[in-house]
Amino acid sequence: EPDAILGSLQRRSRRVLEVLRQLPGITCNEAEGAMYLFPQLHLPRNAVQAAKNAGKAADAFYCLQLLEATGLVVVPGSGFGQVDGTYHFRTTFLPPEADIESVMDRLAAFHKDFMMKYAGEL
């Protein structure tokens, strides 16, 4: 059973990473020993300005918009001491394997809509 659990975690990690890497404005490294991925968001200036106008860090703004639109919870990178002027979020790959596609479809659809809404210079 431990091998089956580990295999499932590896497949989920690879799938989440694959989807994230296909999204415009996101770069992501592989998970290294933890059950988290920490993608970097390359947000349009309009999104950064909208976040500033709302009194929020840009990554927190993105994460709250994601939560409101999809019910998905990710953690803003601003809570992890990221380099100033960069934006990230932390996500897990713990949803059941049968649900990963649905979760990633929701995240991808939100991200594409968000980027289009705030389209402009990165």
Side-chain angles (χ1 to χ4, degrees), residues 20-34:
L20 289 172
R21 285 181 169 173
Q22 291 174 356
L23 295 175
I26 291 184
T27 55
C28 190
N29 294 325
E30 292 182 23
E32 295 182 9

Side-chain angles (χ1 to χ4, degrees), residues 4-114:
I5 293 170
L6 182 58
S8 177
L9 286 170
Q10 289 171 334
R11 286 188 299 276
R12 287 181 273 169
S13 173
R14 283 192 302 267
R15 183 61 185 141
V16 172
L17 180 65
E18 178 182 312
V19 171
L20 289 172
R21 285 181 169 173
Q22 291 174 356
L23 295 175
I26 291 184
T27 55
C28 190
N29 294 325
E30 292 182 23
E32 295 182 9
M35 292 181 281
Y36 304 105
L37 291 167
F38 202 58
Q40 183 172 2
L41 297 166
H42 305 277
L43 299 174
R45 289 185 185 160
N46 293 339
V48 175
Q49 186 60 49
K52 185 177 180 180
N53 293 346
K56 306 218 177 307
D59 53 1
F61 180 75
Y62 178 93
C63 293
L64 287 170
Q65 296 282 318
L66 175 65
L67 175 62
E68 290 172 4
T70 67
L72 298 175
V73 177
V74 297
V75 180
S78 50
F80 296 94
Q82 65 192 2
V83 174
D84 283 342
T86 65
Y87 310 106
H88 302 79
F89 65 87
R90 185 177 81 170
T91 188
T92 68
F93 41 87
L94 294 177
E97 197 165 359
D99 297 337
I100 283 292
E101 288 304 318
S102 169
V103 168
M104 295 313 296
D105 287 348
R106 287 170 28 215
L107 189 146
F110 163 80
H111 180 77
K112 290 173 184 174
D113 288 347
F114 182 93

